[in-house]
Amino acid sequence: MTVVTPLPARELMLRGAETMSRVMDQARALADVTRRQAEALRPDFVAPRLPPAPSDPFTLARDAAEYAVDAAQRAVLFWDTMRQAGNTFTEHELAGCPPVLFFEHEMVVDGRTLSRPSNYALVRIKVPEGCPPTDAKLRPFVIIDPRAGHGAGIGGFKSDSQVGVALRRGHPVYFVIFFRDPEPGQTILDITQAEGIFLRKVAEAHPEAPKPVVIGNCQGGWAVMMLGASQPELTGALVLNGAPLSYWAGERGRNPMRYLGGLAGGSWPAALLADLGNGKFDGANLVLNFESLSPGNTWFKKYYNLFANADTEAPRFLEFERWWGGYFLMNRDEIRWIVENLFIGDRFARGEISAGGGATFNMRAVRSPVVVFASAGDNITPPGQALRWIADVYRDEQEIKALGQTIVYLMHDEIGHLGIFVSGAVALKEHSEIAELLTLIDSVAPGLYEMLITREPGSNAWQVELKERTIADIRIRSGEAKNEAFPAVARISALNQSLYDLFVAPVVRQAATEESAELRRQMHPLRLRRTLVSDRNPAMAPVAALAEQVRQHRAPARRDNPFLAWERLWADGIERSIDTWRDWRDAWTEIAFHGVYGMLAAVGVAGGETPEEPPSAAALADAPEVRQALGRIATGGYAEAVVRMMILLAQARGGVRRSRLARSNAVMQNEPPFSEMTASARQALIREQTVIASMAPAEALAALPKLLPKLADRRRAMATVEDVAGPEEELGDAALAMLNQLRSALGLAAGLVPVGYEQAAVPD
């Protein structure tokens, strides 16, 4: 007799099996996290080498006395610098926290006067002495700084900066600044609308120039992509510097900041702080989070460096503190929007952020070239958070080409988050080379590239190459990105936020006043750390006079004084101890996150929603723009043939050097028939031929004789392509094979090349 399991029981068994499978997956993930953290926390202490003490007691006593005088004098100079930093902070606050731009600027549009007011404004940078006058026909640069606790100006913080790089090339430069206090009721959508108005104003001021480059630093990168997605007609190339567009992405064992929202229970703490601030969120709380990532530097090292180098370090310390010590405010709705949509929900890359009126911000709508600058040493925006959106938005690199999109990413090996914006060395290398690339970006065929910067042998010049990459490369860079624990955080956050809004928020809002909110802001530890050492504190009154006396009678210790070496050993030990505590804290943070939310996800808290599948290869080939392009394989003439040949050659090589790109750009700008086209027509031509060459390389090659029926046109086209390609000995085997295949297809070379065009045109 056959026993048939009732359908409800069978369904329960299947669900139980699925749940058990998810539990096992999360258990393995937790074990992997624990293993990685255990390996990272393994002690690797190396006993320091102590400097030899003088054998002569009189020499030891002399060194001790010399060191005591030196240390005492350095202490006075240290506290005088701290006093100056405190005074700068209080003066900056009293002035309303103006932007810390190094360059003079003039107001163009004040967002507070718009129909939907916001605390943003557009200023134009005045050309300083020593820089060439701006060329009205060159592409303007518009820089948007992050409003993530600090004020505006980091992109133009010093002469060697993003602003300085653009000015030295003659580009008009605009800066989007913001004021300390938000306008009543302003939202993120109001800010996006204001930035669209700013770009229209720039376009009106430069009618003969191409669309402006828009640069977004950190949080400003969200603003740039929202502009590009909602108003693509306004933007030229977009540059994203350290912008966390995919907040869930990261590497296990690293990047602990992405777990903090989950362990705090979601977005409700940000809402609580905003309510305690009488509707305004204090940006100092965000800065405190940033500082907690590197407590050894925040709480000790940067101050020890000032003490150890008290004679020379003060100007650099004061310069940076001027920006780092300015704290800005956000409305309650603004901080909730950011936390819920980006930090907790990670909704941008999935196209789930509302743009109003039923629309959403969809990054697939971005049509401008995108340049992404990330760093492996960035622990605030690690590479995964800066790059993963590419793999989330596009199925593969073929789809990027089919949509006519150009994405270039650049990786630094070690610079930290702030170094991406403020480092002079980065400005002179990476930002300079990005600016140079942007002059040629319209000639880059659609696709996904990594920008590689190397030193030319025997020269101080940099060699730049755009190397074709795949979505698989992006996934490798991104680390962990598809973990069910994060969707569980979003669910728990929504529940906690609802409970907070229902039971707690009414009480807090009733109790909060503007006076209590301002008192809380003034008592914040980051503000107290500065005001307590300013001249507002009577105890600091004698410091300035003492420092002046020290400068007149400065007696630094000899560099070989053993007490200096012992001091450095002591400082290294303090920093190492703090960093060890940080490593243990981060380890337990990650383990706790996966232990709590991983198991909640395993039992179904994440929702079990099936993610939307990206379009298949068949669907991509059937897309209207692809079908239209493929229908024109044999349509066109000289221009289509030359562009197609150059794209096939670049695909065979797997990338393009900037020198070849410059030669290609010169052809496009100066030689007919390209010089007779508009910029948009040239870009449309490149996009169409990229689709043809990437989706149907065999047919694209075979159709070349139809595009060039005359022998003279074939020879001219081949000569142009050979001139752009450069010396054959530099091409490589695949590119050389493709070059010969092009000659053969046009009847300009005898015989066939033994390498098939499929292998030559499409690299492995």
Side-chain angles (χ1 to χ4, degrees), residues 141-226:
F141 277 55
V142 179
I143 301 171
I144 302 179
D145 254 3
R147 182 166 164 245
H150 299 105
I154 195 67
F157 189 54
K158 55 181 72 171
S159 177
D160 290 332
S161 61
Q162 296 164 348
V163 171
V165 165
L167 285 175
R168 284 192 287 271
R169 283 166 169 74
H171 292 273
V173 181
Y174 294 83
F175 212 97
V176 176
I177 65 169
F178 40 86
F179 304 100
R180 177 179 181 269
D181 295 291
E183 290 296 294
Q186 82 175 40
T187 66
I188 297 295
L189 297 182
D190 294 332
I191 294 169
T192 302
Q193 184 194 53
E195 289 168 341
I197 293 172
F198 298 163
L199 291 187
R200 288 189 181 90
K201 191 69 175 180
V202 172
E204 291 172 5
H206 304 277
E208 299 183 63
K211 294 179 182 179
V213 169
V214 189
I215 299 174
N217 295 325
C218 188
Q219 179 267 344
W222 306 334
V224 165
M225 288 300 279
M226 288 167 68

Side-chain angles (χ1 to χ4, degrees), residues 31 70 192 454 528 707 724 728:
D70 173 55
T192 302
T454 55
L528 281 178
L707 302 182
V724 170
E728 291 189 4

Side-chain angles (χ1 to χ4, degrees), residues 72-187:
Q73 290 182 333
R74 281 188 286 136
V76 172
L77 295 177
F78 168 84
W79 285 112
D80 186 56
T81 303
M82 294 295 292
R83 179 189 64 85
Q84 294 177 56
N87 289 341
T88 299
F89 172 79
T90 56
E91 293 166 4
H92 193 64
E93 289 267 306
L94 289 173
C97 295
V100 294
L101 286 166
F102 172 81
F103 304 87
E104 293 186 13
H105 52 277
E106 58 185 358
M107 181 71 71
V108 178
V109 181
D110 189 336
R112 296 172 296 186
T113 65
L114 300 176
S115 58
R116 290 172 60 179
S118 68
N119 66 332
Y120 277 62
L122 177 71
V123 300
R124 177 166 183 164
I125 304 297
K126 296 181 179 180
V127 179
E129 292 185 9
C131 281
T134 57
D135 187 340
K137 294 184 178 180
L138 288 181
R139 191 189 301 271
F141 277 55
V142 179
I143 301 171
I144 302 179
D145 254 3
R147 182 166 164 245
H150 299 105
I154 195 67
F157 189 54
K158 55 181 72 171
S159 177
D160 290 332
S161 61
Q162 296 164 348
V163 171
V165 165
L167 285 175
R168 284 192 287 271
R169 283 166 169 74
H171 292 273
V173 181
Y174 294 83
F175 212 97
V176 176
I177 65 169
F178 40 86
F179 304 100
R180 177 179 181 269
D181 295 291
E183 290 296 294
Q186 82 175 40
T187 66

Side-chain angles (χ1 to χ4, degrees), residues 439-440 443 638-639 642-643 646 659-679 682 686 716 720 723-724:
T439 64
L440 310 171
S443 297
Y638 177 84
V642 169
V643 171
M646 289 194 292
S659 56
R660 293 191 179 94
L661 192 58
R663 292 194 291 268
S664 172
N665 189 66
V667 169
M668 293 290 168
Q669 298 288 336
N670 304 319
E671 294 188 12
F674 305 106
S675 59
E676 299 163 0
M677 300 178 181
T678 64
R682 286 194 295 267
I686 293 172
R716 179 190 169 202
T720 298
D723 183 60
V724 170

Side-chain angles (χ1 to χ4, degrees), residues 481-641:
K482 295 295 184 183
N483 190 301
E484 291 182 353
F486 289 102
V489 172
R491 284 295 184 95
I492 297 298
S493 174
L495 174 61
N496 288 343
Q497 186 66 57
S498 297
L499 294 173
Y500 171 81
D501 290 339
L502 186 61
F503 297 109
V504 182
V507 178
V508 176
R509 293 173 187 175
Q510 189 68 26
T513 64
E514 188 57 35
E515 291 74 18
S516 66
E518 183 60 26
L519 179 61
R520 288 189 75 260
R521 288 193 279 269
Q522 294 304 321
M523 296 301 291
H524 194 282
L526 294 189
R527 289 188 177 86
L528 281 178
R529 191 168 74 190
R530 291 162 173 84
T531 56
L532 288 178
V533 294
S534 70
D535 285 338
R536 287 184 176 183
N537 184 351
M540 299 297 294
V543 172
L546 284 174
E548 186 58 34
Q549 291 184 14
V550 164
R551 294 185 183 96
Q552 294 175 5
H553 303 89
R554 182 75 174 101
R558 291 175 294 107
R559 299 188 65 176
D560 61 349
N561 189 307
F563 287 91
L564 289 177
W566 292 332
E567 176 193 286
R568 287 191 291 270
L569 287 175
W570 166 80
D572 290 343
I574 295 293
E575 183 186 2
R576 190 163 48 247
S577 298
I578 298 174
D579 285 343
T580 298
W581 169 82
R582 174 205 62 196
D583 294 341
W584 279 95
R585 177 203 66 187
D586 292 348
W588 283 110
T589 295
E590 185 170 31
I591 291 170
F593 177 87
H594 285 279
V596 173
Y597 287 101
M599 291 307 163
L600 286 173
V603 298
V605 172
E609 298 149 352
T610 303
E612 182 181 351
E613 289 293 329
S616 64
L620 178 61
D622 199 46
E625 57 266 35
V626 174
R627 283 192 286 107
Q628 181 180 1
L630 295 180
R632 291 173 49 82
I633 286 182
T635 303
Y638 177 84
E640 287 78 7

Side-chain angles (χ1 to χ4, degrees), residues 363-403:
M363 284 194 273
R364 292 173 66 88
V366 175
R367 286 294 179 263
S368 303
V370 180
V371 179
V372 182
F373 183 19
S375 174
D378 187 347
N379 63 347
I380 292 178
T381 303
Q385 294 183 8
L387 297 173
R388 179 68 196 196
W389 65 271
I390 302 171
D392 292 338
V393 172
Y394 302 101
R395 181 183 66 85
D396 58 20
E397 57 280 2
Q398 288 293 93
E399 186 182 16
I400 295 175
K401 293 180 180 180
L403 292 175

